Amino acid sequence: LIANEPILNQLLDKCVHRAITQLETVRNQIDSRLMCERITKLSNELLLNKNGLRDLLIHRLTLILRDVDERSGHQIFFERVAKDLKSLSRYGTFHQAAIAQITNLLTLLISEILAAWDQNKSLTLLLNSIEQNNYSHQSILWIDIVKDHLIVPIPYVPRDLNDGVVIPVQNTILHGKVLECTFPFSHLIRNYLANIRYGFSEN
């Protein structure tokens, strides 16, 4: 139902900021100044679309929503809204409750996508490069890697659509600290190549 880019483009602005604040890495940031800076930088990139990050996000959202729709169908989604008496009571009408649930779903999916993009602080590489007005080879490579859903998969994980959900970010921990990558998604590329090699060895 909403798995088309023009509609997503209209709804995105309502969801981006809350989606960022739902990330575990943002919630757990002790330094509030750094947390606000990160939220602001990421929000600006996703809203202004200077470097194509918004387009990329909408494209991934579209793919996930189509997959969700094929598996469960939007009729089931609206049936759940109709049966959710708490939501209907809160928003007053079925229409408003449905809009709220759609917004919550999009917010959740955006958080899931950003969590996948930020593994081992991979997003930091892109944001730092953009901040320095240095759209480097590394940044271009970052975008190219993220476009490949086989290297950076983002499977749909059904979750509670209510407020307050925190989306975990998978990180590599070394000596109690997050291992920050110097090459975007290096651990995922290693796994991807290992799977290819394993596939060849079986044949």
Side-chain angles (χ1 to χ4, degrees), residues 144-164:
D144 287 341
I145 293 171
V146 164
K147 286 179 180 178
D148 192 328
H149 66 278
L150 294 178
I151 297 178
V152 188
I154 309 172
Y156 171 63
V157 180
R159 298 181 190 272
D160 187 354
L161 296 181
N162 295 321
D163 296 336

Side-chain angles (χ1 to χ4, degrees), residues 2 4 6 9 14 24-25 47 49 53 61-62 67 69 72-73 92-93 104 106 108 122 129 158 173-174 180 203:
I2 55 174
N4 70 75
N9 209 30
K14 298 179 181 180
E24 180 184 40
T25 48
L47 295 176
N49 199 36
L53 200 60
L61 267 174
T62 303
D67 179 54
D69 202 32
S72 58
T93 66
N104 287 342
L106 289 179
L108 177 66
S122 290
S129 179
I173 305 299
L174 185 65
E180 297 186 36
N203 295 330

Side-chain angles (χ1 to χ4, degrees), residues 148 150-152 187-197:
D148 192 328
L150 294 178
I151 297 178
V152 188
H187 63 297
L188 295 180
I189 293 173
R190 180 192 61 196
N191 294 340
Y192 178 68
L193 294 176
N195 289 335
I196 291 176
R197 186 176 65 178

Side-chain angles (χ1 to χ4, degrees), residues 29-167:
Q29 175 61 257
I30 297 175
D31 189 326
S32 59
R33 181 184 60 83
L34 292 176
M35 179 180 71
C36 290
E37 283 182 3
R38 187 169 178 78
I39 291 172
T40 301
K41 288 178 184 178
L42 193 49
S43 295
N44 287 341
E45 287 306 314
L46 291 172
L47 295 176
L48 299 177
N49 199 36
K50 289 181 179 179
N51 298 287
L53 200 60
R54 181 192 181 98
D55 291 339
L56 188 55
L57 176 62
I58 289 175
H59 176 66
R60 293 307 293 263
L61 267 174
T62 303
L63 295 178
I64 295 173
L65 285 167
R66 284 175 182 167
D67 179 54
V68 173
D69 202 32
E70 287 175 2
R71 284 194 288 170
S72 58
H74 57 267
Q75 288 183 334
I76 294 178
F77 176 83
F78 287 119
E79 285 176 7
R80 288 175 181 169
V81 175
K83 294 176 182 178
D84 189 346
L85 299 181
K86 184 177 179 180
S87 180
L88 290 171
S89 175
R90 178 180 179 181
Y91 295 104
T93 66
F94 173 81
H95 178 72
Q96 291 299 323
I99 290 175
Q101 291 290 2
I102 288 171
T103 303
N104 287 342
L105 174 61
L106 289 179
T107 301
L108 177 66
L109 294 179
I110 292 169
S111 294
E112 296 278 9
I113 293 171
L114 295 178
W117 289 357
D118 202 26
Q119 295 177 59
N120 291 352
K121 298 190 177 181
S122 290
L123 262 175
T124 301
L125 296 176
L126 182 69
L127 294 176
N128 288 345
S129 179
I130 291 171
E131 186 180 25
Q132 297 163 9
N133 293 319
N134 175 29
Y135 202 52
S136 63
H137 293 298
Q138 189 178 66
S139 300
I140 295 171
L141 180 63
W142 192 101
I143 294 290
D144 287 341
I145 293 171
V146 164
K147 286 179 180 178
D148 192 328
H149 66 278
L150 294 178
I151 297 178
V152 188
I154 309 172
Y156 171 63
V157 180
R159 298 181 190 272
D160 187 354
L161 296 181
N162 295 321
D163 296 336
V165 65
V166 178
I167 305 301

